Amino acid sequence: MTESQIRSNITYNQNILDELYMEKSKIESQLYELDLLRDKVSGLQQRFGDRQQHRQTMLQRITHSTIQNKILKTYYDGMKVLLSGTEFNSAYEGLSESKCKINREVEVLQESLGRCVDNIAYRKERCDYWRSQLASLLAEEGR
């Protein structure tokens, strides 16, 4: 192989390496953003559940004698359904589903990152190989 062809192979592999490093950086950035998002969703879900629990506790403080009042009984019954009904469960489960989707996306990105790291290692090996070929060729030519 000629010196020019070897240098071309080195440049080719180095260009691919540069692209792979950019891809790796992009994936790492996306993973970081997803981690922040997962923390925000978890915090939101925790606060949402805590507030719901606080509201249920406050509602339970209404005494039995107070419930005998028809207006308060209607309020109590309505709030009880609202605080323990399907709307709350749907919202809470929606947040859980969001976390699951985030976790799945994190897994996909981690797999992509693993492939990218493997490709980087391969291209580094190729660069090293071609550099050693160039060194051998130059040594043979006495340069």
Side-chain angles (χ1 to χ4, degrees):
M1 215 172 226
T2 67
E3 179 181 347
S4 175
Q5 290 171 319
I6 292 172
R7 288 187 187 279
S8 178
N9 280 326
I10 293 170
T11 301
Y12 171 77
N13 283 287
Q14 189 59 52
N15 287 339
I16 292 175
L17 257 177
D18 293 342
E19 290 173 15
L20 288 169
Y21 279 123
M22 287 190 316
E23 180 182 348
K24 181 178 180 264
S25 178
K26 181 180 173 186
I27 293 170
E28 289 170 338
S29 176
Q30 290 172 333
L31 283 168
Y32 176 77
E33 293 296 324
L34 283 173
D35 194 41
L36 290 177
L37 180 60
R38 182 176 36 208
D39 289 347
K40 286 180 184 180
V41 170
S42 292
L44 176 62
Q45 187 178 34
Q46 180 66 41
R47 288 189 307 277
F48 184 62
D50 289 349
R51 287 190 65 129
Q52 195 73 357
Q53 182 62 41
H54 175 73
R55 289 176 182 145
Q56 287 174 340
T57 300
M58 296 302 289
L59 186 62
Q60 289 172 355
R61 288 185 181 166
I62 295 176
T63 64
H64 181 67
S65 62
T66 307
I67 294 178
Q68 299 307 318
N69 179 312
K70 187 171 182 163
I71 293 172
L72 286 176
K73 180 170 179 13
T74 303
Y75 171 78
Y76 178 85
D77 291 342
M79 288 302 292
K80 188 173 182 180
V81 167
L82 179 66
L83 294 174
S84 60
T86 58
E87 291 86 6
F88 167 76
N89 289 334
S90 293
Y92 196 84
E93 288 304 314
L95 291 169
S96 292
E97 186 177 320
S98 294
K99 287 194 305 187
C100 287
K101 286 180 182 178
I102 291 168
N103 288 336
R104 283 192 297 271
E105 184 62 25
V106 165
E107 288 175 10
V108 167
L109 286 173
Q110 286 174 335
E111 289 173 8
S112 294
L113 183 61
R115 284 190 301 274
C116 189
V117 168
D118 290 345
N119 287 335
I120 287 171
Y122 173 75
R123 290 300 166 180
K124 281 182 176 181
E125 289 173 8
R126 296 310 302 158
C127 282
D128 291 344
Y129 170 78
W130 288 113
R131 286 185 185 113
S132 70
Q133 292 298 310
L134 180 61
S136 295
L137 180 66
L138 294 176
E140 285 176 13
E141 294 177 357
R143 294 196 250 165

